[in-house]
Amino acid sequence: AQTVTQSQPEMSVQEAETVTLSCTYDTSESDYYLFWYKQPPSRQMILVIRQEAYKQQNATENRFSVNFQKAAKSFSLKISDSQLGDAAMYFCAYRSDYYNNNDMRFGAGTRLTVKP
Amino acid sequence: KAGVTQTPRYLIKTRGQQVTLSCSPISGHRSVSWYQQTPGQGLQFLFEYFSETQRNKGNFPGRFSGRQFSNSRSEMNVSTLELGDSALYLCASSSSQGWYEQYFGPGTRLTVT
């Protein structure tokens, strides 16, 4: 079964600085999708960024970018120019490209604090 | 487009009771998934519905059930509530084209006393 591991329960970053959140996953599949979701306190889960495993190029969305290392099964999220609004729980997620048993698997999350 | 909506947002029930939660997906989305989120277990997949059919099911007891209607709205039901069922229940929808990407609702916070 696919598992997702986020080894940093908590991270802290100074406003305007850069922070990297780590995520590793375990799978024997070759086709899959990886996601980072953000869940602000008492607010809705929001999709931050998506990476297709077949794409070698790392995904980028404004200040958010990923470092996808398929062989190492690593998928880290870099947040540049951190803002107070970036404070949230961040979840790394994996979804198989196969029709059966392709529910989304989430990591335990990393709580990001942004200091002014 | 309106986002995923869930009702009610908060619910307090007593052990042994049953509860029904509702989810309306984004217009045009035909897939709805349900998750249970707790501090101890994190986000756990309950089930997924597509075109009124259950496509995937997580590892939860039979007390947890769901269904999807022809308009893609979905309900989940928990019977014989236990204290451990207290959680945030999240619903997520996805489109047929971008089936792999899920959009979440605000959740229903269920407290069982």
Side-chain angles (χ1 to χ4, degrees):
Chain A
Q2 301 85 12
T3 58
V4 179
T5 302
Q6 293 180 249
S7 58
Q8 307 153 316
E10 295 183 357
M11 290 283 284
S12 179
V13 64
Q14 207 70 35
E15 198 175 3
E17 298 287 301
T18 296
V19 64
T20 299
L21 308 185
S22 301
C23 172
T24 58
Y25 56 94
D26 184 28
T27 185
S28 58
E29 299 169 342
S30 57
D31 298 321
Y32 49 86
Y33 301 87
L34 296 166
F35 306 87
W36 279 98
Y37 281 90
K38 167 186 176 182
Q39 188 177 40
S42 302
R43 292 183 63 187
Q44 205 151 329
M45 187 107 74
I46 302 164
L47 176 64
V48 175
I49 199 164
R50 178 187 84 238
Q51 175 79 43
E52 293 89 339
Y54 64 85
K55 289 186 177 179
Q56 291 187 332
Q57 187 172 5
N58 289 324
T60 300
E61 287 288 341
N62 301 314
R63 299 183 294 106
F64 299 87
S65 61
V66 299
N67 183 3
F68 173 48
Q69 301 288 328
K70 191 172 184 179
K73 298 178 184 175
S74 169
F75 182 61
S76 61
L77 174 71
K78 185 171 84 171
I79 306 174
S80 304
D81 186 25
S82 296
Q83 300 175 359
L84 294 177
D86 294 333
M89 279 291 285
Y90 285 81
F91 293 95
C92 177
Y94 170 104
R95 191 165 199 185
S96 169
D97 194 23
Y98 296 95
Y99 184 80
N100 292 324
N101 296 319
N102 67 346
D103 54 284
M104 197 169 282
R105 307 291 172 95
F106 288 87
T110 296
R111 184 175 304 279
L112 178 67
T113 302
V114 181
K115 297 179 179 178
Chain B
K1 276 186 181 179
V4 178
T5 58
Q6 292 186 245
T7 56
R9 292 292 310 279
Y10 302 92
L11 206 49
I12 299 175
K13 288 287 189 178
T14 305
R15 257 185 314 178
Q17 288 185 315
Q18 77 160 11
V19 67
T20 299
L21 312 182
S22 180
C23 170
S24 292
I26 292 171
S27 177
H29 285 193
R30 293 167 63 189
S31 171
V32 173
S33 295
W34 288 89
Y35 296 87
Q36 182 194 66
Q37 185 177 23
T38 60
Q41 299 297 317
L43 278 149
Q44 293 187 285
F45 171 73
L46 281 155
F47 25 67
E48 179 185 14
Y49 286 87
F50 180 79
S51 293
E52 302 179 66
T53 300
Q54 188 180 85
R55 207 175 76 159
N56 281 311
K57 189 178 190 310
N59 190 25
F60 276 81
R63 300 185 297 107
F64 292 82
S65 62
R67 59 177 175 169
Q68 186 180 34
F69 302 94
S70 58
N71 61 358
S72 295
R73 190 178 70 86
S74 177
E75 288 181 348
M76 69 162 279
N77 184 276
V78 188
S79 62
T80 319
L81 282 166
E82 300 176 0
L83 294 179
D85 297 333
S86 294
L88 181 66
Y89 289 88
L90 293 170
C91 164
S93 74
S94 55
S95 67
S96 300
Q97 290 76 20
W99 62 268
Y100 41 82
E101 196 167 285
Q102 294 187 328
Y103 295 87
F104 284 81
T108 293
R109 172 76 61 187
L110 172 64
T111 301
V112 181
T113 61

